[in-house]
PDB file of all heavy atoms in Angstrom:
ATOM      1  N   TYR R 484       0.466   5.168  56.920  1.00 98.00           N
ATOM      2  CA  TYR R 484       1.641   5.175  57.798  1.00 98.00           C
ATOM      3  C   TYR R 484       1.324   5.753  59.182  1.00 98.00           C
ATOM      4  O   TYR R 484       2.102   6.514  59.734  1.00 98.00           O
ATOM      5  CB  TYR R 484       2.776   5.972  57.144  1.00 98.00           C
ATOM      6  CG  TYR R 484       3.223   5.399  55.835  1.00 98.00           C
ATOM      7  CD1 TYR R 484       2.919   6.035  54.633  1.00 98.00           C
ATOM      8  CD2 TYR R 484       3.927   4.202  55.784  1.00 98.00           C
ATOM      9  CE1 TYR R 484       3.329   5.499  53.419  1.00 98.00           C
ATOM     10  CE2 TYR R 484       4.336   3.659  54.581  1.00 98.00           C
ATOM     11  CZ  TYR R 484       4.032   4.312  53.407  1.00 98.00           C
ATOM     12  OH  TYR R 484       4.430   3.772  52.207  1.00 98.00           O
ATOM     13  N   HIS R 485       0.208   5.384  59.768  1.00 98.00           N
ATOM     14  CA  HIS R 485      -0.226   5.975  61.036  1.00 98.00           C
ATOM     15  C   HIS R 485       0.293   5.263  62.285  1.00 98.00           C
ATOM     16  O   HIS R 485       0.311   5.838  63.371  1.00 98.00           O
ATOM     17  CB  HIS R 485      -1.759   6.036  61.098  1.00 98.00           C
ATOM     18  CG  HIS R 485      -2.393   4.690  61.225  1.00 98.00           C
ATOM     19  ND1 HIS R 485      -2.643   3.884  60.140  1.00 98.00           N
ATOM     20  CD2 HIS R 485      -2.814   3.994  62.311  1.00 98.00           C
ATOM     21  CE1 HIS R 485      -3.188   2.767  60.556  1.00 98.00           C
ATOM     22  NE2 HIS R 485      -3.306   2.798  61.867  1.00 98.00           N
ATOM     23  N   GLU R 486       0.740   4.035  62.147  1.00 98.00           N
ATOM     24  CA  GLU R 486       1.135   3.267  63.333  1.00 98.00           C
ATOM     25  C   GLU R 486       2.360   3.869  64.020  1.00 98.00           C
ATOM     26  O   GLU R 486       3.284   4.334  63.369  1.00 98.00           O
ATOM     27  CB  GLU R 486       1.433   1.822  62.942  1.00 98.00           C
ATOM     28  CG  GLU R 486       0.199   1.044  62.545  1.00 98.00           C
ATOM     29  CD  GLU R 486       0.531  -0.407  62.245  1.00 98.00           C
ATOM     30  OE1 GLU R 486       1.159  -1.059  63.106  1.00 98.00           O
ATOM     31  OE2 GLU R 486       0.171  -0.861  61.149  1.00 98.00           O
ATOM     32  N   GLY R 487       2.309   3.849  65.342  1.00 98.00           N
ATOM     33  CA  GLY R 487       3.447   4.302  66.137  1.00 98.00           C
ATOM     34  C   GLY R 487       3.618   5.806  66.197  1.00 98.00           C
ATOM     35  O   GLY R 487       4.657   6.288  66.627  1.00 98.00           O
ATOM     36  N   LEU R 488       2.604   6.538  65.789  1.00 98.00           N
ATOM     37  CA  LEU R 488       2.707   7.996  65.765  1.00 98.00           C
ATOM     38  C   LEU R 488       1.762   8.637  66.777  1.00 98.00           C
ATOM     39  O   LEU R 488       0.663   8.153  67.020  1.00 98.00           O
ATOM     40  CB  LEU R 488       2.391   8.533  64.363  1.00 98.00           C
ATOM     41  CG  LEU R 488       3.355   8.097  63.260  1.00 98.00           C
ATOM     42  CD1 LEU R 488       2.847   8.577  61.908  1.00 98.00           C
ATOM     43  CD2 LEU R 488       4.762   8.593  63.535  1.00 98.00           C
ATOM     44  N   ILE R 489       2.217   9.727  67.324  1.00 98.00           N
ATOM     45  CA  ILE R 489       1.417  10.608  68.166  1.00 98.00           C
ATOM     46  C   ILE R 489       1.156  11.846  67.322  1.00 98.00           C
ATOM     47  O   ILE R 489       2.088  12.399  66.729  1.00 98.00           O
ATOM     48  CB  ILE R 489       2.170  10.992  69.453  1.00 98.00           C
ATOM     49  CG1 ILE R 489       2.493   9.752  70.280  1.00 98.00           C
ATOM     50  CG2 ILE R 489       1.380  12.016  70.258  1.00 98.00           C
ATOM     51  CD1 ILE R 489       3.500  10.011  71.389  1.00 98.00           C
ATOM     52  N   VAL R 490      -0.085  12.288  67.255  1.00 98.00           N
ATOM     53  CA  VAL R 490      -0.422  13.443  66.428  1.00 98.00           C
ATOM     54  C   VAL R 490      -1.096  14.501  67.294  1.00 98.00           C
ATOM     55  O   VAL R 490      -1.988  14.201  68.088  1.00 98.00           O
ATOM     56  CB  VAL R 490      -1.317  13.019  65.239  1.00 98.00           C
ATOM     57  CG1 VAL R 490      -1.833  14.232  64.490  1.00 98.00           C
ATOM     58  CG2 VAL R 490      -0.537  12.110  64.303  1.00 98.00           C
ATOM     59  N   LEU R 491      -0.645  15.730  67.104  1.00 98.00           N
ATOM     60  CA  LEU R 491      -1.232  16.884  67.773  1.00 98.00           C
ATOM     61  C   LEU R 491      -1.918  17.735  66.711  1.00 98.00           C
ATOM     62  O   LEU R 491      -1.455  17.823  65.573  1.00 98.00           O
ATOM     63  CB  LEU R 491      -0.157  17.712  68.479  1.00 98.00           C
ATOM     64  CG  LEU R 491       0.868  16.969  69.336  1.00 98.00           C
ATOM     65  CD1 LEU R 491       1.835  17.960  69.972  1.00 98.00           C
ATOM     66  CD2 LEU R 491       0.192  16.122  70.385  1.00 98.00           C
ATOM     67  N   SER R 492      -2.985  18.393  67.090  1.00 97.00           N
ATOM     68  CA  SER R 492      -3.795  19.135  66.126  1.00 97.00           C
ATOM     69  C   SER R 492      -3.035  20.241  65.417  1.00 97.00           C
ATOM     70  O   SER R 492      -3.427  20.662  64.339  1.00 97.00           O
ATOM     71  CB  SER R 492      -5.041  19.708  66.797  1.00 97.00           C
ATOM     72  OG  SER R 492      -4.687  20.601  67.829  1.00 97.00           O
ATOM     73  N   GLY R 493      -1.936  20.724  65.993  1.00 94.00           N
ATOM     74  CA  GLY R 493      -1.096  21.700  65.309  1.00 94.00           C
ATOM     75  C   GLY R 493      -1.340  23.135  65.736  1.00 94.00           C
ATOM     76  O   GLY R 493      -2.198  23.445  66.549  1.00 94.00           O
ATOM     77  N   CYS R 494      -0.560  24.000  65.112  1.00 92.00           N
ATOM     78  CA  CYS R 494      -0.590  25.430  65.413  1.00 92.00           C
ATOM     79  C   CYS R 494      -1.806  26.086  64.771  1.00 92.00           C
ATOM     80  O   CYS R 494      -2.672  25.415  64.209  1.00 92.00           O
ATOM     81  CB  CYS R 494       0.700  26.071  64.904  1.00 92.00           C
ATOM     82  SG  CYS R 494       0.864  25.996  63.109  1.00 92.00           S
ATOM     83  N   ALA R 495      -1.871  27.405  64.814  1.00 92.00           N
ATOM     84  CA  ALA R 495      -3.005  28.139  64.250  1.00 92.00           C
ATOM     85  C   ALA R 495      -3.155  27.914  62.748  1.00 92.00           C
ATOM     86  O   ALA R 495      -4.238  28.113  62.195  1.00 92.00           O
ATOM     87  CB  ALA R 495      -2.870  29.632  64.553  1.00 92.00           C
ATOM     88  N   SER R 496      -2.085  27.471  62.080  1.00 90.00           N
ATOM     89  CA  SER R 496      -2.131  27.193  60.639  1.00 90.00           C
ATOM     90  C   SER R 496      -2.575  25.768  60.325  1.00 90.00           C
ATOM     91  O   SER R 496      -2.568  25.360  59.168  1.00 90.00           O
ATOM     92  CB  SER R 496      -0.757  27.435  60.018  1.00 90.00           C
ATOM     93  OG  SER R 496      -0.382  28.777  60.164  1.00 90.00           O
ATOM     94  N   ALA R 497      -2.930  25.019  61.337  1.00 95.00           N
ATOM     95  CA  ALA R 497      -3.357  23.633  61.149  1.00 95.00           C
ATOM     96  C   ALA R 497      -4.847  23.586  60.817  1.00 95.00           C
ATOM     97  O   ALA R 497      -5.578  24.564  60.993  1.00 95.00           O
ATOM     98  CB  ALA R 497      -3.057  22.823  62.404  1.00 95.00           C
ATOM     99  N   GLU R 498      -5.299  22.431  60.366  1.00 96.00           N
ATOM    100  CA  GLU R 498      -6.670  22.288  59.887  1.00 96.00           C
ATOM    101  C   GLU R 498      -7.716  22.594  60.957  1.00 96.00           C
ATOM    102  O   GLU R 498      -8.594  23.442  60.758  1.00 96.00           O
ATOM    103  CB  GLU R 498      -6.870  20.871  59.347  1.00 96.00           C
ATOM    104  CG  GLU R 498      -8.224  20.619  58.763  1.00 96.00           C
ATOM    105  CD  GLU R 498      -8.361  19.214  58.184  1.00 96.00           C
ATOM    106  OE1 GLU R 498      -7.371  18.456  58.153  1.00 96.00           O
ATOM    107  OE2 GLU R 498      -9.478  18.884  57.765  1.00 96.00           O
ATOM    108  N   VAL R 499      -7.641  21.922  62.089  1.00 98.00           N
ATOM    109  CA  VAL R 499      -8.667  22.100  63.125  1.00 98.00           C
ATOM    110  C   VAL R 499      -8.655  23.533  63.671  1.00 98.00           C
ATOM    111  O   VAL R 499      -9.712  24.183  63.708  1.00 98.00           O
ATOM    112  CB  VAL R 499      -8.515  21.035  64.242  1.00 98.00           C
ATOM    113  CG1 VAL R 499      -9.456  21.323  65.407  1.00 98.00           C
ATOM    114  CG2 VAL R 499      -8.771  19.631  63.681  1.00 98.00           C
ATOM    115  N   PRO R 500      -7.501  24.070  64.082  1.00 96.00           N
ATOM    116  CA  PRO R 500      -7.503  25.459  64.553  1.00 96.00           C
ATOM    117  C   PRO R 500      -7.962  26.466  63.491  1.00 96.00           C
ATOM    118  O   PRO R 500      -8.668  27.427  63.814  1.00 96.00           O
ATOM    119  CB  PRO R 500      -6.050  25.702  64.951  1.00 96.00           C
ATOM    120  CG  PRO R 500      -5.525  24.355  65.277  1.00 96.00           C
ATOM    121  CD  PRO R 500      -6.198  23.433  64.306  1.00 96.00           C
ATOM    122  N   ALA R 501      -7.572  26.254  62.231  1.00 95.00           N
ATOM    123  CA  ALA R 501      -7.994  27.175  61.170  1.00 95.00           C
ATOM    124  C   ALA R 501      -9.510  27.148  61.000  1.00 95.00           C
ATOM    125  O   ALA R 501     -10.138  28.197  60.791  1.00 95.00           O
ATOM    126  CB  ALA R 501      -7.295  26.829  59.859  1.00 95.00           C
ATOM    127  N   LEU R 502     -10.099  25.970  61.086  1.00 96.00           N
ATOM    128  CA  LEU R 502     -11.561  25.869  60.984  1.00 96.00           C
ATOM    129  C   LEU R 502     -12.237  26.576  62.155  1.00 96.00           C
ATOM    130  O   LEU R 502     -13.268  27.237  61.981  1.00 96.00           O
ATOM    131  CB  LEU R 502     -11.988  24.402  60.914  1.00 96.00           C
ATOM    132  CG  LEU R 502     -11.628  23.678  59.611  1.00 96.00           C
ATOM    133  CD1 LEU R 502     -11.809  22.167  59.768  1.00 96.00           C
ATOM    134  CD2 LEU R 502     -12.443  24.215  58.448  1.00 96.00           C
ATOM    135  N   ILE R 503     -11.649  26.450  63.339  1.00 97.00           N
ATOM    136  CA  ILE R 503     -12.191  27.164  64.504  1.00 97.00           C
ATOM    137  C   ILE R 503     -12.112  28.672  64.273  1.00 97.00           C
ATOM    138  O   ILE R 503     -13.068  29.405  64.532  1.00 97.00           O
ATOM    139  CB  ILE R 503     -11.454  26.753  65.796  1.00 97.00           C
ATOM    140  CG1 ILE R 503     -11.777  25.292  66.133  1.00 97.00           C
ATOM    141  CG2 ILE R 503     -11.817  27.686  66.951  1.00 97.00           C
ATOM    142  CD1 ILE R 503     -10.917  24.709  67.239  1.00 97.00           C
ATOM    143  N   ALA R 504     -10.971  29.144  63.765  1.00 96.00           N
ATOM    144  CA  ALA R 504     -10.795  30.579  63.502  1.00 96.00           C
ATOM    145  C   ALA R 504     -11.807  31.080  62.471  1.00 96.00           C
ATOM    146  O   ALA R 504     -12.216  32.243  62.521  1.00 96.00           O
ATOM    147  CB  ALA R 504      -9.372  30.856  63.031  1.00 96.00           C
ATOM    148  N   GLN R 505     -12.226  30.206  61.561  1.00 95.00           N
ATOM    149  CA  GLN R 505     -13.220  30.560  60.541  1.00 95.00           C
ATOM    150  C   GLN R 505     -14.655  30.375  61.061  1.00 95.00           C
ATOM    151  O   GLN R 505     -15.608  30.494  60.297  1.00 95.00           O
ATOM    152  CB  GLN R 505     -13.019  29.694  59.293  1.00 95.00           C
ATOM    153  CG  GLN R 505     -11.714  29.907  58.593  1.00 95.00           C
ATOM    154  CD  GLN R 505     -11.431  28.815  57.560  1.00 95.00           C
ATOM    155  OE1 GLN R 505     -12.318  28.064  57.147  1.00 95.00           O
ATOM    156  NE2 GLN R 505     -10.184  28.722  57.146  1.00 95.00           N
ATOM    157  N   GLU R 506     -14.767  30.036  62.363  1.00 96.00           N
ATOM    158  CA  GLU R 506     -16.056  29.806  63.016  1.00 96.00           C
ATOM    159  C   GLU R 506     -16.832  28.666  62.360  1.00 96.00           C
ATOM    160  O   GLU R 506     -18.061  28.689  62.262  1.00 96.00           O
ATOM    161  CB  GLU R 506     -16.885  31.101  63.050  1.00 96.00           C
ATOM    162  CG  GLU R 506     -16.200  32.201  63.842  1.00 96.00           C
ATOM    163  CD  GLU R 506     -16.997  33.486  63.906  1.00 96.00           C
ATOM    164  OE1 GLU R 506     -18.163  33.522  63.445  1.00 96.00           O
ATOM    165  OE2 GLU R 506     -16.450  34.464  64.437  1.00 96.00           O
ATOM    166  N   ARG R 507     -16.091  27.624  61.970  1.00 97.00           N
ATOM    167  CA  ARG R 507     -16.676  26.418  61.363  1.00 97.00           C
ATOM    168  C   ARG R 507     -16.496  25.254  62.343  1.00 97.00           C
ATOM    169  O   ARG R 507     -15.795  24.291  62.053  1.00 97.00           O
ATOM    170  CB  ARG R 507     -16.002  26.143  60.019  1.00 97.00           C
ATOM    171  CG  ARG R 507     -16.247  27.242  58.997  1.00 97.00           C
ATOM    172  CD  ARG R 507     -15.413  27.091  57.746  1.00 97.00           C
ATOM    173  NE  ARG R 507     -15.518  25.771  57.159  1.00 97.00           N
ATOM    174  CZ  ARG R 507     -14.671  25.306  56.235  1.00 97.00           C
ATOM    175  NH1 ARG R 507     -13.674  26.058  55.796  1.00 97.00           N
ATOM    176  NH2 ARG R 507     -14.814  24.089  55.743  1.00 97.00           N
ATOM    177  N   MET R 508     -17.137  25.352  63.487  1.00 97.00           N
ATOM    178  CA  MET R 508     -16.944  24.368  64.559  1.00 97.00           C
ATOM    179  C   MET R 508     -17.387  22.963  64.152  1.00 97.00           C
ATOM    180  O   MET R 508     -16.762  21.986  64.555  1.00 97.00           O
ATOM    181  CB  MET R 508     -17.663  24.806  65.837  1.00 97.00           C
ATOM    182  CG  MET R 508     -16.937  25.885  66.611  1.00 97.00           C
ATOM    183  SD  MET R 508     -15.273  25.406  67.148  1.00 97.00           S
ATOM    184  CE  MET R 508     -15.666  24.260  68.461  1.00 97.00           C
ATOM    185  N   ASP R 509     -18.442  22.838  63.377  1.00 98.00           N
ATOM    186  CA  ASP R 509     -18.875  21.504  62.948  1.00 98.00           C
ATOM    187  C   ASP R 509     -17.798  20.836  62.099  1.00 98.00           C
ATOM    188  O   ASP R 509     -17.498  19.656  62.275  1.00 98.00           O
ATOM    189  CB  ASP R 509     -20.195  21.559  62.178  1.00 98.00           C
ATOM    190  CG  ASP R 509     -21.388  21.857  63.067  1.00 98.00           C
ATOM    191  OD1 ASP R 509     -21.286  21.638  64.304  1.00 98.00           O
ATOM    192  OD2 ASP R 509     -22.421  22.298  62.543  1.00 98.00           O
ATOM    193  N   ASP R 510     -17.199  21.594  61.188  1.00 97.00           N
ATOM    194  CA  ASP R 510     -16.128  21.049  60.356  1.00 97.00           C
ATOM    195  C   ASP R 510     -14.887  20.743  61.200  1.00 97.00           C
ATOM    196  O   ASP R 510     -14.213  19.733  60.979  1.00 97.00           O
ATOM    197  CB  ASP R 510     -15.764  22.014  59.228  1.00 97.00           C
ATOM    198  CG  ASP R 510     -16.879  22.150  58.199  1.00 97.00           C
ATOM    199  OD1 ASP R 510     -17.644  21.177  58.010  1.00 97.00           O
ATOM    200  OD2 ASP R 510     -16.977  23.225  57.580  1.00 97.00           O
ATOM    201  N   ALA R 511     -14.584  21.607  62.165  1.00 98.00           N
ATOM    202  CA  ALA R 511     -13.443  21.365  63.056  1.00 98.00           C
ATOM    203  C   ALA R 511     -13.660  20.079  63.846  1.00 98.00           C
ATOM    204  O   ALA R 511     -12.738  19.271  64.003  1.00 98.00           O
ATOM    205  CB  ALA R 511     -13.250  22.551  64.003  1.00 98.00           C
ATOM    206  N   ARG R 512     -14.869  19.871  64.337  1.00 98.00           N
ATOM    207  CA  ARG R 512     -15.203  18.658  65.083  1.00 98.00           C
ATOM    208  C   ARG R 512     -15.041  17.418  64.203  1.00 98.00           C
ATOM    209  O   ARG R 512     -14.436  16.431  64.602  1.00 98.00           O
ATOM    210  CB  ARG R 512     -16.621  18.752  65.631  1.00 98.00           C
ATOM    211  CG  ARG R 512     -17.045  17.600  66.515  1.00 98.00           C
ATOM    212  CD  ARG R 512     -18.471  17.762  67.048  1.00 98.00           C
ATOM    213  NE  ARG R 512     -18.660  19.035  67.746  1.00 98.00           N
ATOM    214  CZ  ARG R 512     -19.228  20.131  67.207  1.00 98.00           C
ATOM    215  NH1 ARG R 512     -19.684  20.122  65.966  1.00 98.00           N
ATOM    216  NH2 ARG R 512     -19.358  21.235  67.906  1.00 98.00           N
ATOM    217  N   LYS R 513     -15.567  17.472  62.975  1.00 98.00           N
ATOM    218  CA  LYS R 513     -15.448  16.340  62.046  1.00 98.00           C
ATOM    219  C   LYS R 513     -13.980  16.009  61.780  1.00 98.00           C
ATOM    220  O   LYS R 513     -13.596  14.842  61.759  1.00 98.00           O
ATOM    221  CB  LYS R 513     -16.164  16.649  60.733  1.00 98.00           C
ATOM    222  CG  LYS R 513     -17.661  16.606  60.814  1.00 98.00           C
ATOM    223  CD  LYS R 513     -18.280  16.977  59.472  1.00 98.00           C
ATOM    224  CE  LYS R 513     -19.764  17.242  59.638  1.00 98.00           C
ATOM    225  NZ  LYS R 513     -20.372  17.786  58.419  1.00 98.00           N
ATOM    226  N   SER R 514     -13.186  17.030  61.563  1.00 98.00           N
ATOM    227  CA  SER R 514     -11.767  16.813  61.290  1.00 98.00           C
ATOM    228  C   SER R 514     -11.067  16.208  62.498  1.00 98.00           C
ATOM    229  O   SER R 514     -10.308  15.238  62.377  1.00 98.00           O
ATOM    230  CB  SER R 514     -11.107  18.138  60.897  1.00 98.00           C
ATOM    231  OG  SER R 514      -9.737  17.948  60.672  1.00 98.00           O
ATOM    232  N   ALA R 515     -11.314  16.771  63.674  1.00 98.00           N
ATOM    233  CA  ALA R 515     -10.681  16.255  64.891  1.00 98.00           C
ATOM    234  C   ALA R 515     -11.085  14.804  65.146  1.00 98.00           C
ATOM    235  O   ALA R 515     -10.245  13.972  65.520  1.00 98.00           O
ATOM    236  CB  ALA R 515     -11.059  17.134  66.094  1.00 98.00           C
ATOM    237  N   LEU R 516     -12.344  14.495  64.910  1.00 98.00           N
ATOM    238  CA  LEU R 516     -12.800  13.114  65.112  1.00 98.00           C
ATOM    239  C   LEU R 516     -12.182  12.160  64.088  1.00 98.00           C
ATOM    240  O   LEU R 516     -11.901  11.004  64.411  1.00 98.00           O
ATOM    241  CB  LEU R 516     -14.330  13.050  65.071  1.00 98.00           C
ATOM    242  CG  LEU R 516     -15.025  13.697  66.269  1.00 98.00           C
ATOM    243  CD1 LEU R 516     -16.529  13.771  66.048  1.00 98.00           C
ATOM    244  CD2 LEU R 516     -14.697  12.955  67.558  1.00 98.00           C
ATOM    245  N   TRP R 517     -11.943  12.632  62.880  1.00 98.00           N
ATOM    246  CA  TRP R 517     -11.260  11.799  61.881  1.00 98.00           C
ATOM    247  C   TRP R 517      -9.847  11.445  62.373  1.00 98.00           C
ATOM    248  O   TRP R 517      -9.437  10.294  62.320  1.00 98.00           O
ATOM    249  CB  TRP R 517     -11.187  12.513  60.524  1.00 98.00           C
ATOM    250  CG  TRP R 517     -10.552  11.664  59.471  1.00 98.00           C
ATOM    251  CD1 TRP R 517     -11.179  10.755  58.669  1.00 98.00           C
ATOM    252  CD2 TRP R 517      -9.159  11.611  59.123  1.00 98.00           C
ATOM    253  NE1 TRP R 517     -10.260  10.148  57.836  1.00 98.00           N
ATOM    254  CE2 TRP R 517      -9.011  10.651  58.090  1.00 98.00           C
ATOM    255  CE3 TRP R 517      -8.028  12.280  59.572  1.00 98.00           C
ATOM    256  CZ2 TRP R 517      -7.787  10.351  57.510  1.00 98.00           C
ATOM    257  CZ3 TRP R 517      -6.800  11.974  58.994  1.00 98.00           C
ATOM    258  CH2 TRP R 517      -6.683  11.027  57.980  1.00 98.00           C
ATOM    259  N   TYR R 518      -9.118  12.443  62.855  1.00 98.00           N
ATOM    260  CA  TYR R 518      -7.763  12.203  63.359  1.00 98.00           C
ATOM    261  C   TYR R 518      -7.784  11.284  64.582  1.00 98.00           C
ATOM    262  O   TYR R 518      -6.959  10.390  64.706  1.00 98.00           O
ATOM    263  CB  TYR R 518      -7.054  13.521  63.685  1.00 98.00           C
ATOM    264  CG  TYR R 518      -6.531  14.223  62.462  1.00 98.00           C
ATOM    265  CD1 TYR R 518      -7.194  15.326  61.932  1.00 98.00           C
ATOM    266  CD2 TYR R 518      -5.386  13.781  61.811  1.00 98.00           C
ATOM    267  CE1 TYR R 518      -6.717  15.972  60.799  1.00 98.00           C
ATOM    268  CE2 TYR R 518      -4.908  14.422  60.678  1.00 98.00           C
ATOM    269  CZ  TYR R 518      -5.569  15.515  60.179  1.00 98.00           C
ATOM    270  OH  TYR R 518      -5.096  16.138  59.045  1.00 98.00           O
ATOM    271  N   ARG R 519      -8.732  11.509  65.481  1.00 98.00           N
ATOM    272  CA  ARG R 519      -8.805  10.663  66.676  1.00 98.00           C
ATOM    273  C   ARG R 519      -9.115   9.215  66.305  1.00 98.00           C
ATOM    274  O   ARG R 519      -8.589   8.282  66.902  1.00 98.00           O
ATOM    275  CB  ARG R 519      -9.845  11.180  67.665  1.00 98.00           C
ATOM    276  CG  ARG R 519      -9.860  10.308  68.938  1.00 98.00           C
ATOM    277  CD  ARG R 519     -10.874  10.730  69.918  1.00 98.00           C
ATOM    278  NE  ARG R 519     -12.207  10.384  69.433  1.00 98.00           N
ATOM    279  CZ  ARG R 519     -13.315  10.615  70.102  1.00 98.00           C
ATOM    280  NH1 ARG R 519     -13.271  11.198  71.271  1.00 98.00           N
ATOM    281  NH2 ARG R 519     -14.483  10.278  69.599  1.00 98.00           N
ATOM    282  N   GLU R 520      -9.952   9.015  65.307  1.00 98.00           N
ATOM    283  CA  GLU R 520     -10.279   7.666  64.860  1.00 98.00           C
ATOM    284  C   GLU R 520      -9.060   6.964  64.269  1.00 98.00           C
ATOM    285  O   GLU R 520      -8.858   5.771  64.475  1.00 98.00           O
ATOM    286  CB  GLU R 520     -11.410   7.731  63.815  1.00 98.00           C
ATOM    287  CG  GLU R 520     -11.845   6.398  63.275  1.00 98.00           C
ATOM    288  CD  GLU R 520     -12.618   5.561  64.279  1.00 98.00           C
ATOM    289  OE1 GLU R 520     -13.227   6.120  65.214  1.00 98.00           O
ATOM    290  OE2 GLU R 520     -12.601   4.319  64.131  1.00 98.00           O
ATOM    291  N   LEU R 521      -8.229   7.708  63.557  1.00 98.00           N
ATOM    292  CA  LEU R 521      -7.065   7.128  62.887  1.00 98.00           C
ATOM    293  C   LEU R 521      -5.910   6.898  63.859  1.00 98.00           C
ATOM    294  O   LEU R 521      -5.253   5.850  63.815  1.00 98.00           O
ATOM    295  CB  LEU R 521      -6.608   8.029  61.742  1.00 98.00           C
ATOM    296  CG  LEU R 521      -5.395   7.551  60.950  1.00 98.00           C
ATOM    297  CD1 LEU R 521      -5.677   6.205  60.275  1.00 98.00           C
ATOM    298  CD2 LEU R 521      -5.006   8.599  59.909  1.00 98.00           C
ATOM    299  N   PHE R 522      -5.642   7.848  64.713  1.00 97.00           N
ATOM    300  CA  PHE R 522      -4.475   7.785  65.590  1.00 97.00           C
ATOM    301  C   PHE R 522      -4.898   7.460  67.019  1.00 97.00           C
ATOM    302  O   PHE R 522      -5.744   8.138  67.593  1.00 97.00           O
ATOM    303  CB  PHE R 522      -3.711   9.117  65.569  1.00 97.00           C
ATOM    304  CG  PHE R 522      -3.121   9.433  64.227  1.00 97.00           C
ATOM    305  CD1 PHE R 522      -3.776  10.274  63.342  1.00 97.00           C
ATOM    306  CD2 PHE R 522      -1.908   8.873  63.838  1.00 97.00           C
ATOM    307  CE1 PHE R 522      -3.239  10.559  62.095  1.00 97.00           C
ATOM    308  CE2 PHE R 522      -1.361   9.150  62.598  1.00 97.00           C
ATOM    309  CZ  PHE R 522      -2.034   9.994  61.723  1.00 97.00           C
TER     310      PHE R 522
END
């Protein structure tokens, strides 16, 4: 159900920011790129 949607990475409790807070930048990058590919 991705069509017609705008997605923002979210607050500090979201996946990408939480991974950054855990100092897992590679995982944060992979996640962000997955979302960018889909939306």
Side-chain angles (χ1 to χ4, degrees):
Y484 299 108
H485 70 276
E486 290 183 53
L488 297 174
I489 299 167
V490 172
L491 313 181
S492 61
C494 65
S496 298
E498 183 178 355
V499 173
L502 290 167
I503 292 170
Q505 296 167 16
E506 298 181 7
R507 296 171 52 195
M508 283 300 287
D509 288 339
D510 292 331
R512 185 179 305 99
K513 286 178 193 172
S514 178
L516 290 172
W517 183 87
Y518 282 103
R519 182 182 72 179
E520 180 71 25
L521 180 61
F522 295 97

